[in-house]
Structures are given as C-alpha cells and as structure tokens.
Amino acid sequence: VKMNCAVQGIVACVAYLLWQIIYTRQHFQESILEPMKVANTTYAYAIFILCTIAVSNLVHALTFFHTLKYFQGGATSAGVMKGLQAVLVFVVTSWFYCGRLGGSEMCFTTLKFMSLVIVVGGVILYGSATSRSNLEHRKGNYERINDSADN
C-alpha cells in the first residue's frame, strides 16, 4: 500500500508540474493575474487558497488510502463512501451557496433529494450486508490473509 501511495503521488505531482510548465506558464497573465486583479485578490490570499486546497487534498488522500487498507471492503467501501460524500456536497452546497452565489444550480432540488435518498439507502444496505457477511465469516472461522508487503 505504501508503494502504491508513493507511486500515485509522484505520478500526480509530475503530471501537475508538466501542466504548469507547458500550459499555465504560457497563459499566466490571462488565466491567473487578470482574474486576480478583477477579484481584488492579493498574492498572499491566492497563496493561502492554494495552501488550503493542498492541505484538503492531503487529508483526502490520507483518508482514502486509510480506508482502502483498514476499512472492511477496501475499494468497494471507498466507492460507497465517495457516493455518500457526493450527496453530502449537495446538501452543504445548498446551505452555503443557495441564493447567495451562483444560480439555481446551487440550490437543493427534488432530483438532488431523490439522489440523496438513493445513495444513503445504498450506503445503509451496503453497511448492513457487510456487517452480516462479517458475522458469517466469523462463525465459519475464516482467517484474514495478511500481506507482508503492506507493512
């Protein structure tokens, strides 16, 4: 798992660095500086925003790989949690931005509510099925296979 994390992190950093060198450097004035000037954003505030996003991404990556390694179901559980995260973003976005920023797409709708019900229902069903499966495995005296490469 550690090697997987390291490889993915290095590949992502290299891809991001190449994007900055090839694209952003050539379009820095119109893509970065001009919008900053229009929004009255200082360099310090822009750096603060970038650092906040970087820390958020770090926490996200750490929790994702922790889920893969330690949470029952691994990647499937991570996918289920991602669905739950998406519907929670609907709710939080509506609370913070509806009527304040953007258009009606920021507001909670009937369709978003239906999505929330379906996803939360799926998370509950998955959780109960996983719980039952774990109980059955314990009764059958199954043993977990440990991979020494995970250490």
Side-chain angles (χ1 to χ4, degrees), residues 80 84 87 114-128:
V80 168
L84 183 59
V87 296
M114 289 173 30
S115 297
L116 180 134
V117 169
I118 290 168
V119 171
V120 170
V123 168
I124 291 169
L125 285 172
Y126 176 77
S128 65

Side-chain angles (χ1 to χ4, degrees), residues 16-147:
Y16 185 71
L17 182 63
L18 286 173
W19 174 264
Q20 296 302 326
I21 291 169
I22 295 169
Y23 180 82
T24 305
R25 194 166 149 235
Q26 295 174 4
H27 300 91
F28 192 75
Q29 182 68 34
E30 69 268 11
S31 295
I32 308 289
L33 294 180
E34 289 174 13
M36 280 179 62
K37 188 174 182 178
V38 169
N40 283 333
T41 303
T42 64
Y43 285 104
Y45 191 63
I47 290 170
F48 169 75
I49 291 170
L50 287 173
C51 289
T52 302
I53 292 170
V55 169
S56 174
N57 283 334
L58 174 66
V59 170
H60 176 76
L62 289 173
T63 57
F64 175 74
F65 285 111
H66 181 82
T67 300
L68 287 179
K69 184 171 182 179
Y70 297 107
F71 201 72
Q72 289 290 331
T76 303
S77 293
V80 168
M81 297 304 276
K82 196 64 161 163
L84 183 59
Q85 177 189 11
V87 296
L88 291 176
V89 166
F90 290 165
V91 174
V92 173
T93 300
S94 180
W95 282 340
F96 284 107
Y97 298 116
C98 182
R100 294 184 190 110
L101 182 69
S104 62
E105 73 275 1
M106 297 294 183
C107 297
F108 205 73
T109 63
T110 303
L111 192 57
K112 289 180 182 179
F113 177 74
M114 289 173 30
S115 297
L116 180 134
V117 169
I118 290 168
V119 171
V120 170
V123 168
I124 291 169
L125 285 172
Y126 176 77
S128 65
T130 302
S131 178
R132 270 188 256 127
S133 176
N134 288 340
L135 286 173
E136 290 173 10
H137 281 83
R138 281 190 213 125
K139 287 178 184 176
N141 294 324
Y142 289 101
E143 292 183 28
R144 181 182 171 116
I145 299 173
N146 290 320
D147 184 2

